[in-house]
Amino acid sequence: MDTDIDDPPRLPSVVIHPLVVRVCHWINAFAILIMILSGWRIYNASALFPFRFPSSITLGGWLGGALQWHFAAMWLLVANGIVYVLYGVVSGHYRGSFFPVSPRALVNEISNVLRGQMSHRLGVYNAIQKLTYLVVIVLGIVLVLSGLCIWKPVQFQGLAALMGGYEGARLLHFFAMAGVVGFIVVHLTLVVLVPSTLLPMFTGRAPRDSTSPEGGP
Amino acid sequence: MKKRPRLYTALTTVAPKEIQLLERRLFLKRSLSLGALALLTGCDVTDVDAVHRTLWAMSKWNDRAQGWLFNPHKLAPVYPDSAITKPFPFNAFYDEDEVPMVDSGKYKLTLGGLIRDKKPWTLAQLYALPQVSQITRHVCVEGWSAIGKWSGVPFRYFLERVGADLSAKYVGFKCLDDYYTSIDMATALHPQTQLTFKYADQILPAKYGFPMKLRIPTKLGFKNPKHIAEIYVTNVYPGGYWEDIGYNWFSGL
């Protein structure tokens, strides 16, 4: 028997982010950025609350331009989102990465964080991460559905009624956006705090050591 | 219908085609020229033009997608009297004190294009048509909405009465305030699309579009022309005041 098969050389790295997830992640990042920045411009045309977003951080230049961006990028966002969610469900990626989220693990993790001890192993999510990723996926779905009800409140009036009609869908769309923006702020802050998470989002690979419990920071 | 900078409206009366192209370019430039351009760092002017062409192409694609989504039998929700928004907001591309004052005695609605009987209509003749009322939600492209009560003749009835070619693609509108727009025939024939003569059971006030507007509860507000002077039926895409500078043409709800 070939000894190479029985005792293969130790691999320097392992794949922690499958290719589909990485491609979807970056397409999503691009689409979400366009949706949020153009969405802020659209919000400014008729503000729901007594504030507006500074024009300099919006996309589109005027309402018509912002709407063009928003209604172009929505196709990218939705198509990419469908691929990502289907892959996540069919491949078992979600089952493996995001489930189970037990309340006990969540409590443990929160107490760890409060004691300043964040556990982080590349490619393995702790309970807070699992819950956060699940929530942001749900927020994404809520954004798409509420957006659909704002865009087509007559054609999708049944769905819109569940959200309190056209005006209810506007509010829901806004709050779901705020939730996603909050997620992005935390997400990016953590990347800054743990920079070793960034490269694997491109290459998919992480040093074998960093993925084991002992090697984690 | 919100204000578009005065400069542009003044210029359009001088040399419409050239200026429209110019103003479209200006608006498109503006649509990219701000902080978020950081998204496209390293782009030269050609890339910017390519982005604009892509956005316009996507808007045309969205016209088609909305045409498929539009169910000609699906009715917009209707509301009770108690839901009516008071006061109903005034909205146009000019201020309220610039609303056109129309002499009802001299007014005539003219018809053009693929219509068999192009005889102009006086207000008295229009008012004699069978009328219905609706309480529906007006949704502005800006995002706000308001509920109002409109009365008038179902537009389908009117189009059939004058012998319009119902297989044509578009119905276009020219207005006394120099506004213009156009809609797809499927929406023109929708049961709630109404040639409106009254608001809240009163003759349509000047600020809401006297002598008549087209009320379309399945389209955004700017697709509801006011102060209509001419209605024409055509197979040649007529565009619109806002549509020509970037608002999506179909803009269905």
Side-chain angles (χ1 to χ4, degrees):
Chain A
M1 211 179 254
D2 193 327
T3 50
D4 277 357
I5 292 175
D6 272 343
D7 188 17
R10 192 179 165 83
L11 288 168
S13 64
V14 288
V15 173
I16 57 168
H17 299 306
L19 180 65
V20 178
V21 171
R22 277 177 281 146
V23 171
C24 286
H25 172 269
W26 289 112
I27 292 176
N28 187 58
F30 175 72
I32 281 272
L33 187 64
I34 290 177
M35 293 306 276
I36 290 174
L37 298 183
S38 58
W40 287 352
R41 185 94 207 180
I42 297 166
Y43 168 95
N44 283 354
S46 178
L48 285 165
F49 304 104
F51 73 89
R52 286 185 157 76
F53 297 94
S55 293
S56 56
I57 57 165
T58 65
L59 178 64
W62 70 296
L63 176 60
L67 288 165
Q68 282 192 346
W69 278 103
H70 211 69
F71 292 141
M74 71 176 183
W75 294 102
L76 185 64
L77 182 85
V78 169
N80 184 65
I82 288 172
V83 170
Y84 169 74
V85 171
L86 280 182
Y87 172 83
V89 171
V90 172
S91 73
H93 170 66
Y94 287 167
R95 205 165 50 243
S97 297
F98 299 150
F99 291 100
V101 196
S102 74
R104 175 184 293 189
L106 199 59
V107 170
N108 280 342
E109 204 55 53
I110 290 170
S111 71
N112 282 345
V113 170
L114 293 178
R115 284 184 281 122
Q117 297 172 348
M118 277 197 289
S119 73
H120 194 280
R121 284 181 282 149
L122 291 179
V124 180
Y125 298 127
N126 67 42
I128 297 178
Q129 288 173 304
K130 285 179 182 175
L131 187 67
T132 309
Y133 287 124
L134 285 173
V135 166
V136 83
I137 290 168
V138 170
L139 284 179
I141 293 168
V142 168
L143 271 170
V144 169
L145 294 181
S146 58
L148 203 55
C149 291
I150 298 168
W151 189 43
K152 297 282 160 271
V154 173
Q155 305 307 320
F156 298 105
Q157 55 189 276
L159 185 60
L162 296 176
M163 302 177 189
Y166 172 79
E167 292 291 345
R170 277 180 85 198
L171 285 171
L172 190 60
H173 201 62
F174 179 88
F175 288 119
M177 175 280 294
V180 167
V181 169
F183 166 84
I184 292 171
V185 169
V186 173
H187 188 64
L188 296 182
T189 305
L190 288 174
V191 171
V192 170
L193 292 177
V194 191
S196 61
T197 54
L198 184 58
L199 196 56
M201 210 55 230
F202 291 99
T203 63
R205 292 181 167 273
R208 183 169 279 264
D209 287 354
S210 68
T211 62
S212 63
E214 300 78 29
Chain B
M1 295 197 280
K2 199 68 179 185
K3 271 204 167 176
R4 180 168 127 183
R6 255 293 170 232
L7 169 69
Y8 301 117
T9 40
L11 286 175
T12 39
T13 59
V14 180
K17 207 68 203 170
E18 291 74 9
I19 297 299
Q20 270 179 23
L21 287 173
L22 175 65
E23 78 179 16
R24 177 178 297 182
R25 288 187 82 80
L26 288 172
F27 266 94
L28 292 176
K29 285 269 186 291
R30 281 176 58 197
S31 74
L32 269 177
S33 61
L34 293 163
L37 190 58
L39 272 176
L40 300 157
T41 40
C43 293
D44 60 23
V45 175
T46 326
D47 294 330
V48 170
D49 280 347
V51 169
H52 290 151
R53 277 199 304 276
T54 306
L55 290 176
W56 275 87
M58 284 304 294
S59 192
K60 288 289 155 202
W61 153 257
N62 280 330
D63 285 339
R64 289 216 295 280
Q66 292 173 91
W68 298 325
L69 272 176
F70 179 71
N71 177 347
H73 307 294
K74 190 131 195 163
L75 298 182
V78 293
Y79 300 87
D81 280 297
S82 58
I84 292 173
T85 308
K86 291 171 184 168
F88 192 87
F90 165 80
N91 201 29
F93 60 96
Y94 43 79
D95 291 328
E96 198 168 335
D97 56 13
E98 297 169 79
V99 169
M101 290 299 149
V102 180
D103 183 338
S104 53
K106 288 183 186 157
Y107 174 84
K108 279 198 174 160
L109 172 69
T110 57
L111 302 177
L114 306 171
I115 291 177
R116 194 178 55 239
D117 183 2
K118 295 197 184 71
K119 168 181 68 74
W121 287 67
T122 65
L123 263 185
Q125 290 168 326
L126 288 165
Y127 287 162
L129 292 167
Q131 296 190 30
V132 293
S133 293
Q134 60 168 275
I135 300 176
T136 49
R137 184 182 296 276
H138 169 109
V139 177
C140 182
V141 66
E142 296 170 329
W144 58 266
S145 74
I147 294 171
K149 181 178 184 181
W150 291 273
S151 309
V153 60
F155 195 43
R156 179 186 196 116
Y157 178 94
F158 182 77
L159 289 177
E160 284 172 347
R161 174 79 178 263
V162 298
D165 177 358
L166 303 185
S167 66
K169 285 184 182 166
Y170 310 104
V171 183
F173 304 88
K174 293 178 186 168
C175 305
L176 295 162
D177 54 2
D178 292 331
Y179 192 73
Y180 61 103
T181 189
S182 57
I183 59 171
D184 53 297
M185 184 59 80
T187 299
L189 299 177
H190 184 274
Q192 287 171 309
T193 300
Q194 181 194 84
L195 198 54
T196 297
F197 309 123
K198 285 179 180 171
Y199 180 79
D201 300 319
Q202 306 296 316
I203 291 296
L204 202 61
K207 64 176 176 176
Y208 297 150
F210 183 83
M212 86 188 72
K213 70 175 283 175
L214 193 75
R215 171 65 194 139
I216 316 174
T218 56
K219 285 212 189 286
L220 288 176
F222 78 91
K223 301 294 293 186
N224 293 231
K226 298 182 284 193
H227 317 288
I228 298 171
E230 182 185 341
I231 297 172
Y232 60 101
V233 174
T234 178
N235 283 308
V236 182
Y237 173 74
Y241 179 92
W242 287 112
E243 295 88 331
D244 292 349
I245 57 165
Y247 280 0
N248 173 264
W249 174 74
F250 194 94
S251 285
L253 292 176

